[in-house]
């Protein structure tokens, strides 16, 4: 069965510190990989798409096909990065992880 | 371009009733997907429509159905509502395929009493 795991439910970092959100997936095929983000009182939106490398807010993600992981990273977190982040493999339908709530402290 | 719109934004129903939710995609987008978001189950895929045809379906009972019109607008219907159907229902549109980047609406929050 398809499975997406985001092991951290909550993540708190200080402004300027690096942040990494983990995502592991288990799929029978090769899904396209996305990260979506939801800022407070805003709608869910695309943060990063693996195949096109399109990304907002300076985030990157490394695909490790051997480990089937797609961890999200940013070298210097900003307060506006506080949000809920979802890893979402896509095999013609998005499957979302449980999400990680990131809080960036001043 | 205007974003994805969903109506109504909030809805209160009682058990046994049925409900219809509406979604208008971004102009030019022909694929519309629906998702259910609950605290317990998270975000789950319901179904996807393209050219008025259901192209993909998630693991939900037959009480959940949908349709798409020729202008790509979509509706989702839930019959015989149960308390567990209380959720935020999200609609997302993409150009031609759910495999592409999806653009989400604000959601319809349904409360079943």
């Amino acid at each position: 069965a398809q499975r997406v795991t985001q092991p951290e439910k909550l993540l708190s970092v200080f402004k300027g510190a690096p942040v990494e959100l983990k995502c592991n997936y288990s799929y029978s095929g090769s899904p396209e990989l996305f990260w979506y983000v939801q800022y407070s009182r805003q709608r869910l939106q695309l943060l990063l798409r693996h195949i096109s490398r399109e990304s907002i807010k300076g985030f990157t993600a490394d695909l490790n096909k051997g480990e089937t992981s797609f961890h999200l990273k940013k070298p210097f977190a900003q307060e506006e990065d506080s949000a809920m982040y979802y890893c979402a493999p896509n095999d013609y339908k998005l499957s979302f992880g449980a999400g990680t709530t990131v809080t960036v402290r001043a | 371009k205007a974003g994805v719109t969903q109506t109504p934004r909030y809805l209160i129903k009682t058990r046994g009733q049925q409900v219809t939710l509406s979604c208008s995609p971004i102009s030019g987008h022909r694929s519309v997907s629906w998702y259910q978001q609950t605290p317990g189950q998270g975000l789950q895929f319901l179904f996807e429509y393209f050219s008025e045809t259901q192209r993909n379906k998630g693991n939900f009972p037959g009480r959940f159905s949908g349709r798409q019109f020729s202008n790509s607008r979509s509706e989702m219907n839930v019959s015989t509502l149960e308390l567990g159907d209380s959720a935020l229902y999200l609609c997302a549109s993409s150009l031609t395929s759910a495999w592409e980047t999806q653009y989400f609406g604000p959601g319809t929050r349904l409360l079943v009493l």
Side-chain angles (χ1 to χ4, degrees):
Chain A
Q2 323 283 41
R3 192 168 64 238
V4 187
T5 304
Q6 291 181 249
E8 305 116 341
K9 196 168 182 180
L10 300 168
L11 201 58
S12 181
V13 299
F14 284 103
K15 178 181 172 182
V19 61
E20 181 179 24
L21 287 72
K22 292 185 170 54
C23 172
N24 295 93
Y25 63 95
S26 173
Y27 267 68
S28 53
S30 297
E32 168 60 341
L33 294 159
F34 294 79
W35 278 93
Y36 280 83
V37 62
Q38 188 162 30
Y39 301 103
S40 179
R41 290 187 292 277
Q42 293 187 29
R43 60 184 69 187
L44 201 58
Q45 61 182 291
L46 175 71
L47 179 70
L48 181 148
R49 180 180 182 185
H50 174 253
I51 196 169
S52 62
R53 301 288 181 184
E54 62 183 298
S55 169
I56 64 171
K57 305 287 180 90
F59 282 89
T60 61
D62 295 327
L63 172 61
N64 185 321
K65 285 192 174 180
E67 294 179 1
T68 56
S69 67
F70 190 53
H71 303 329
L72 183 70
K73 300 175 185 178
K74 186 171 182 178
F76 308 104
Q78 303 300 312
E79 287 179 77
E80 57 263 30
D81 295 328
S82 295
M84 181 75 146
Y85 293 79
Y86 294 96
C87 179
N90 188 342
D91 59 348
Y92 293 93
K93 59 181 184 292
L94 285 170
S95 294
F96 289 88
T100 298
T101 301
V102 172
T103 302
V104 181
R105 300 179 183 175
Chain B
K1 277 187 182 177
V4 177
T5 57
Q6 292 187 246
T7 56
R9 294 292 311 278
Y10 303 92
L11 208 47
I12 300 175
K13 292 285 186 179
T14 55
R15 276 182 301 174
Q17 286 187 310
Q18 75 164 12
V19 67
T20 299
L21 313 181
S22 181
C23 170
S24 291
I26 291 172
S27 178
H29 284 195
R30 295 170 62 194
S31 169
V32 174
S33 299
W34 288 88
Y35 298 85
Q36 183 196 62
Q37 185 174 26
T38 60
Q41 300 296 319
L43 276 155
Q44 293 184 284
F45 171 79
L46 279 155
F47 29 64
E48 185 223 353
Y49 283 86
F50 177 81
S51 287
E52 303 178 62
T53 302
Q54 188 182 89
R55 194 158 60 173
N56 213 337
K57 190 177 188 311
N59 297 322
F60 279 81
R63 300 185 297 106
F64 291 82
S65 62
R67 60 177 175 167
Q68 187 181 34
F69 302 94
S70 57
N71 61 358
S72 295
R73 190 177 70 85
S74 178
E75 287 182 348
M76 189 192 105
N77 184 275
V78 188
S79 62
T80 320
L81 283 165
E82 301 177 0
L83 295 179
D85 297 333
S86 294
L88 181 67
Y89 290 90
L90 294 172
C91 163
S93 75
S94 52
L95 272 170
T96 58
S97 166
W99 196 78
E100 302 162 336
T101 298
Q102 295 188 34
Y103 296 84
F104 284 83
T108 293
R109 187 164 296 281
L110 171 66
L111 177 62
V112 182
L113 301 175

